Amino acid sequence: MATATQHFDAVVIGAGFSGMYMLKSLRDRLGLKVRVYEAGGTVGGTWYWNRYPGARCDSDSYIYCFTFDKQLLQEWEWSERYPEQPEILRYLEHVAKRHDLKRDIQFNTRVTGGEFDEANNLWTVHTATGETVTARYVIAAVGCLSDTNLPPFKGIENFKGKWYHTSRFPHEGVDFTGKRVAVVGTGATAVQAIPEIAQQAKQLTVFQRTANYCVPARNGKVDPERVKARKADYDAIVQRIRESFFGQEHYFIPKSVLETTPEEREREFDRMWDEGGFAYWLSNYQDMFFDQKANDLCADYLKRKIRDTVKDPAVAERLIPKGYAYGTKRQPLDTNYFETFNKSNVRLVDAATDGAIEEITEHGIRAGGKEYEADIIVFATGFDAMTGALKALHLKGRGGRTLDQEWVDGPHTYLGIAVAGFPNLFAITGPQSPSVLSNMPVSIEQHVEWITDCIEAMRKAGQTTIEAKPDAQQEWVEHVNEVVSGTLMTATNSWYMSANIQGKPRAFLPYLGPEGVGGYRKKCDEVAAKGYEGFALA
Ligand code: NAP
């Protein structure tokens, strides 16, 4: 085994939103010696890697940012309601510079493994560049959607054209002009990319496995008066989103849709539809996620919108989602997605009606016995969500146990922050925390601040290890599963349910607590106030 060359108080893995703030917090608030390892060439995480055409934020920009820097909240001007990837990356670069973060981040360095040394209560961490260091604490800031899922399509090695995965898109971009392009997937990523690619490509073929309920983002410039009013109200906004269900200014209508008249609900549906963004998903009637009949009423409105938009009724029918409840897959936000299927250069290959993808050939994709030729294939096939990137760290806890061994039937965590048997390892927005069911920066800031407070308390008390107790962890896992079992989420084959990847054990990955992000924050604060209840400290 390589000898450690340096010792740090903490190693942070990843320099996206979460790793950046974790560094800032541990270094500048607690004065710790911190090293951040980042596989990418600069800060940004998700926003460094996902450079596909049309990539932009799906949360409103005024709340998709750091709130710890109040001055920056006032100074920074977002150009649009949902800024594009390059703008978000510019913002994160600005934050890195403003807080002098880069001096403690080592870029182009992937963490490949680590072991907890039980004799010394230290982590040893290895990198792909051959470095070995030790640290008291390891914080995984690896993101929930960062481990690329490229399904093992037969014959991919035979393809003579070029292919790309959206989450590893070339930095110089791809010129689709005059090309025959195939896009595989119709999730939130593809829904952003397809209208953009269709504008350039000679021909675009979209391979759909499951049709999606999309609603318009309604991106655009935000009225300057509104921007001003929000800036004046930021303290209250931050308070509200922290206490809210989804970390957004969206609130359910406190009524059953089944108790409304057709006119009343149509008015409400129109209002949410016109507002755009996540309003239809997260500000709808409160029983939408729980009651199939209620859900059907909300879904029917969206189905009508597809029929109204797509001119060819046969194409419209194939684009209409079937067999799962609305909202139980992540809501894609679109700009002219369904309209794109009216273009003469765009065709849909639907697994249910045309046949599933059988193989990649030299010249394209074979599905349902037919070959569809392409010069470029874009795989928008998503991620091994939430657990993939954590497992890929190959960390070994007590007794040399790995997360692969601990999580054979899905994740087991305490609060989504810690794992029994892995002392002093913290995950930011880990599985079984609200994470992907929230506006990410809100959940990231909450975890970073909680972890910082915890380490500070430990140092004051002269404690060197903290570790989730197995029984507290078990209770949390049961609670996570019990809460979601009362919703329509578990019946759907979504990545939330680990169902996007063949062989991944079916388990609900985030936490959909009864009071959402606000209730979860309260729970974490209570755990801390009770001397880190459910954790063993030594
Ligand atoms: P995704 O939602 O998992 O979608 C992947 C697509 O590929 C799905 O249509 C899936 O079909 C299809 N697919 C996967 N494996 C396949 C296979 N073997 N054969 C055929 N089709 C296959 O991934 P994503 O679109 O990249 O989005 C992932 C998440 O990233 C989103 O849900 C969202 O949370 C986040 N995201 C955020 C933003 C933003 O905020 N700006 C933008 C994009 C994405 P099935 O549906 O049948 O599995």
Side-chain angles (χ1 to χ4, degrees):
M1 178 139 320
T3 318
T5 50
Q6 282 193 81
H7 174 75
F8 296 94
D9 294 315
V11 161
V12 176
I13 309 171
F17 265 94
S18 49
M20 290 171 70
Y21 185 33
M22 194 76 246
L23 165 61
K24 164 83 189 156
S25 196
L26 292 179
R27 186 191 69 186
D28 297 350
R29 206 183 106 193
L30 300 190
L32 301 195
K33 187 177 172 200
V34 184
R35 160 67 55 85
V36 181
Y37 288 116
E38 165 56 55
T42 184
V43 294
T46 281
W47 301 106
Y48 173 82
W49 295 105
N50 288 269
R51 294 165 185 256
Y52 58 87
R56 61 173 75 249
C57 183
D58 274 349
S59 289
D60 282 74
S61 49
Y62 77 100
I63 50 166
Y64 193 82
C65 51
F66 288 117
T67 66
F68 75 83
D69 186 336
K70 288 191 176 188
Q71 202 188 341
L72 185 60
L73 279 180
Q74 295 302 325
E75 286 172 14
W76 188 264
E77 299 288 344
W78 293 106
S79 71
E80 290 176 301
R81 182 176 178 187
Y82 302 109
E84 275 193 301
Q85 172 269 334
E87 185 172 348
I88 302 173
L89 198 53
R90 267 201 308 282
Y91 167 78
L92 292 170
E93 287 282 6
H94 179 75
V95 172
K97 192 162 177 208
R98 186 177 162 91
H99 292 282
D100 193 15
L101 299 180
K102 287 195 178 179
R103 70 181 150 95
D104 293 304
I105 308 176
Q106 192 168 308
F107 295 107
N108 302 306
T109 308
R110 187 172 286 282
V111 168
T112 50
E115 309 84 38
F116 185 69
D117 167 359
E118 296 185 51
N120 297 305
N121 292 328
L122 287 178
W123 279 95
T124 304
V125 176
H126 313 283
T127 73
T129 48
E131 231 176 292
T132 292
V133 298
T134 55
R136 175 73 66 206
Y137 304 100
V138 170
I139 298 107
V142 292
C144 300
L145 296 155
S146 49
D147 193 32
T148 294
N149 170 41
L150 180 67
F153 289 113
K154 190 177 143 201
I156 194 166
E157 66 286 358
N158 301 328
F159 183 56
K160 290 248 161 64
K162 296 230 182 292
W163 65 263
Y164 308 95
H165 192 283
T166 45
S167 74
R168 293 291 180 272
F169 229 64
H171 286 201
E172 64 281 10
V174 176
D175 186 5
F176 296 103
T177 315
K179 305 281 191 219
R180 296 167 306 169
V181 184
V183 171
V184 179
T186 52
T189 296
V191 165
Q192 290 184 336
I194 283 167
E196 298 287 328
I197 296 174
Q199 286 185 36
Q200 283 182 35
K202 182 166 86 183
Q203 182 186 54
L204 172 62
T205 312
V206 175
F207 289 83
Q208 168 181 278
R209 185 165 73 176
T210 310
N212 239 319
Y213 291 97
C214 307
V215 302
R218 306 214 186 280
N219 187 33
K221 299 263 172 254
V222 181
D223 175 4
E225 284 308 310
R226 194 159 192 205
V227 173
K228 209 165 124 195
R230 280 174 173 161
K231 286 196 189 264
D233 193 32
Y234 249 129
D235 285 347
I237 290 172
V238 170
Q239 179 86 2
R240 281 200 295 276
I241 57 177
R242 287 178 170 198
E243 290 170 1
S244 70
F245 202 102
F246 293 110
Q248 318 237 4
E249 294 198 275
H250 286 299
Y251 305 93
F252 295 124
I253 302 170
K255 187 175 185 179
S256 165
V257 66
L258 301 172
E259 289 163 7
T260 59
T261 62
E263 296 74 27
E264 179 188 353
R265 61 177 172 265
E266 193 73 4
R267 249 193 335 270
E268 286 295 340
F269 289 160
D270 283 343
R271 180 185 58 73
M272 291 180 271
W273 174 263
D274 291 343
E275 188 182 328
F278 287 145
Y280 201 87
W281 192 34
L282 307 180
S283 294
N284 217 311
Y285 290 93
Q286 63 178 16
D287 48 351
M288 188 190 85
F289 283 102
F290 301 94
D291 184 308
Q292 189 60 57
K293 282 203 182 101
N295 192 282
D296 288 344
L297 287 176
C298 304
D300 282 346
Y301 179 88
L302 298 179
K303 292 178 183 177
R304 274 191 277 139
K305 290 290 183 190
I306 299 172
R307 290 194 182 101
D308 291 348
T309 309
V310 180
K311 290 190 182 128
D312 180 337
V315 177
E317 281 317 304
R318 292 188 293 153
L319 286 167
I320 288 176
K322 294 162 196 78
Y324 69 94
Y326 165 60
T328 56
K329 281 165 98 76
R330 160 61 148 75
Q331 170 73 73
L333 298 187
D334 83 273
T335 303
N336 298 326
Y337 176 67
F338 292 117
E339 288 83 347
T340 297
F341 291 91
N342 293 332
K343 291 173 95 115
S344 57
N345 66 331
V346 177
R347 63 181 168 177
L348 176 68
V349 179
D350 170 38
T353 53
D354 302 306
I357 295 177
E358 287 147 6
E359 62 173 331
I360 312 294
T361 64
E362 273 185 33
H363 302 294
I365 299 180
R366 185 183 306 284
K370 187 172 165 193
E371 187 178 34
Y372 299 86
E373 292 197 349
D375 306 307
I376 300 174
I377 303 177
V378 175
F379 292 102
T381 45
F383 303 89
D384 184 350
M386 305 212 67
T387 51
L390 287 170
K391 285 181 175 183
L393 295 175
H394 302 292
L395 298 177
K396 291 181 177 164
R398 287 197 192 281
R401 301 276 297 169
T402 64
L403 290 176
D404 268 325
Q405 290 167 321
E406 297 294 327
W407 290 359
V408 275
D409 58 349
H412 292 252
T413 75
Y414 181 40
L415 303 171
I417 298 177
V419 183
F422 292 75
N424 294 358
L425 170 69
F426 298 96
I428 302 177
T429 63
Q432 300 171 332
S433 75
S435 55
V436 292
L437 290 174
S438 73
N439 174 32
M440 289 302 292
V442 175
S443 289
I444 287 168
E445 287 191 330
Q446 185 236 335
H447 271 180
V448 167
E449 287 161 15
W450 191 94
I451 293 165
T452 308
D453 290 346
C454 173
I455 292 176
E456 184 178 36
M458 286 174 68
R459 286 167 69 87
K460 278 194 185 140
Q463 291 153 331
T464 52
T465 59
I466 180 163
E467 184 177 356
K469 290 182 183 167
D471 55 343
Q473 174 167 291
Q474 187 54 28
E475 245 176 70
W476 183 253
V477 173
E478 282 167 19
H479 170 63
V480 168
N481 292 329
E482 188 193 323
V483 174
V484 77
S485 70
T487 73
L488 300 170
M489 305 289 283
T490 52
T492 297
N493 289 331
S494 63
W495 63 255
Y496 293 140
M497 285 303 300
S498 318
N500 60 324
I501 294 177
Q502 217 179 355
K504 189 167 174 178
R506 192 175 182 95
F508 185 65
L509 296 173
Y511 172 55
L512 186 57
E515 293 167 64
V517 161
Y520 172 80
R521 173 185 289 269
K522 256 192 258 160
K523 166 73 184 168
C524 291
D525 289 348
E526 271 167 31
V527 164
K530 289 182 185 162
Y532 295 93
E533 188 182 45
F535 287 95
L537 287 135

